[in-house]
């Protein structure tokens, strides 16, 4: 990945940070985007200390705001003159509630961040990649972008949309050397998932985690590093022909019908 320029949104923690670590090891230059300024500064400082040989830029942006997305793209182009990869990862889960009782403001917020945030990223990065005749894009969907998930209507709707938009970008821009895929993580132990376990069992979130892991064929939750490695492949030149796919990384769980033994 030496000399490649990769943008990662939602880079301050969780899956974005895990991918940043893997890509930094592989010597990519990074543009790290997040709206959590303190957390992003901490992340960037620690990555810069560990990897003084690569360039790391940080841009504070809320991906649900079009002009802030345009700005992170402009900053990347001004500094590096190109964008080789976009990891469109920032997203939120929202609150858990049945479909008919879902809070409408939260519903709209989830759509604004998970769907519109990914779309704005595509809208502003693709023209840059088109000029280069090269680009790799990874959008983060979820198993909730393949299946229904109880009490998560806007999340599931937004993640199905991300999967659909990834196919769309793949078919419209493949002729410009741009390969676009979505990934569909299952339960990967990040701060977002830890928060979900707190909602399921506020008294004992660890018990909710253990219970959840039992359902997986591997009997475990996923490691953010594993997702980072999949992203690193899809966003590199090693990926020569995979495009328009939604690739599950979930220990096989989305293939299972019925309960684990
Ligand atoms: P996380 O909450 O641990 O981290 C998300 C990061 O995105 C945070 O740093 C947060 O500040 C940032 N962010 C959120 N909204 C933003 C916005 N509007 N603008 C800029 N930054 C924003 O979450 P995570 O588990 O790392 O999830 C990352 C992505 O992976 C999300 O899209 C999520 O839906 C998806 N995902 C995660 C899992 C999992 O098991 N962790 C499973 C499936 C999908």
């Amino acid at each position: 990945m030496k000399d490649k320029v990769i943008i990662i949104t939602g880079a301050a923690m969780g899956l974005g940070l895990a991918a940043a670590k893997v890509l930094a090891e592989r010597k990519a230059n990074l543009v790290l985007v997040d709206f959590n300024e303190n957390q992003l500064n901490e992340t960037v400082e620690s990555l810069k200390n560990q990897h003084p040989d690569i360039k790391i830029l940080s841009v504070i942006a809320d991906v649900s705001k079009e002009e802030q997305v345009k700005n992170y793209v402009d900053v990347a182009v001004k500094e590096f003159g190109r964008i080789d990869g976009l990891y469109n990862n920032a997203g939120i889960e929202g609150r858990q509630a049945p479909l008919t009782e879902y809070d409408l403001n939260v519903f709209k917020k989830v759509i604004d961040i998970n769907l519109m945030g990914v779309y704005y990223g595509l809208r502003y990065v693709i023209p840059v990649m088109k000029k280069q005749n090269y680009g790799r894009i990874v959008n983060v969907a979820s198993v909730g972008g393949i299946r229904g998930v109880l009490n998560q209507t806007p999340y599931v709707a937004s993640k199905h949309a991300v999967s659909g938009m990834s196919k769309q970008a793949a078919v419209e821009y493949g002729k410009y050397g741009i390969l676009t895929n979505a990934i569909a993580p299952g339960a990967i132990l990040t701060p977002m998932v830890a928060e979900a376990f707190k909602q399921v069992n506020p008294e004992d979130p660890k018990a909710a985690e253990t219970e959840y892991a039992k359902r997986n064929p591997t009997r475990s939750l996923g490691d953010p590093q594993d997702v980072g490695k999949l992203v690193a492949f899809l966003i590199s030149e090693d990926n020569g022909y995979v495009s328009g796919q939604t690739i599950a990384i979930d220990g096989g769980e989305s293939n299972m019908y019925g309960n684990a033994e």
Side-chain angles (χ1 to χ4, degrees), residues 1 5-23 30-34 63 72 83-91 117-118 121-122 125 129 135-141 159 162 179-185 188 190 223-236 249:
M1 299 297 285
V5 177
I6 309 291
I7 297 176
I8 302 176
T9 69
M13 60 187 181
L15 297 186
L17 169 59
K21 285 182 181 164
V22 175
L23 290 166
L30 301 174
V31 180
L32 304 183
V33 177
D34 208 288
V63 299
Y72 79 61
I83 299 169
D84 298 287
L86 169 65
Y87 182 31
N88 231 335
N89 159 77
V118 167
L122 297 173
V125 167
M129 292 180 166
R136 298 285 180 269
I137 299 172
V138 179
N139 298 320
V140 180
K159 295 301 189 180
V162 167
L179 304 182
T180 305
N181 293 285
I183 58 166
I188 314 291
T190 64
D223 181 340
Q225 274 271 325
D226 289 327
V227 181
K229 287 182 205 160
L230 173 63
V231 172
F233 165 71
L234 291 170
I235 217 158
S236 74
I249 172 158

Side-chain angles (χ1 to χ4, degrees), residues 166-244:
S166 306
K167 292 175 191 166
Q168 195 63 25
V171 299
E172 289 188 23
Y173 297 100
K175 63 183 171 216
Y176 301 106
I178 303 172
L179 304 182
T180 305
N181 293 285
I183 58 166
I188 314 291
L189 200 49
T190 64
M192 186 184 88
V193 167
E195 181 54 38
F197 289 132
K198 273 191 215 151
Q199 285 191 49
V200 172
N201 187 346
E203 262 87 68
D204 191 357
K206 192 75 198 162
E209 182 189 321
T210 309
E211 199 48 44
Y212 197 91
K214 276 192 207 156
R215 298 183 212 169
N216 192 281
T218 65
R219 306 291 186 272
S220 61
L221 298 182
D223 181 340
Q225 274 271 325
D226 289 327
V227 181
K229 287 182 205 160
L230 173 63
V231 172
F233 165 71
L234 291 170
I235 217 158
S236 74
E237 277 182 44
D238 281 349
N239 174 18
Y241 208 48
V242 182
S243 198

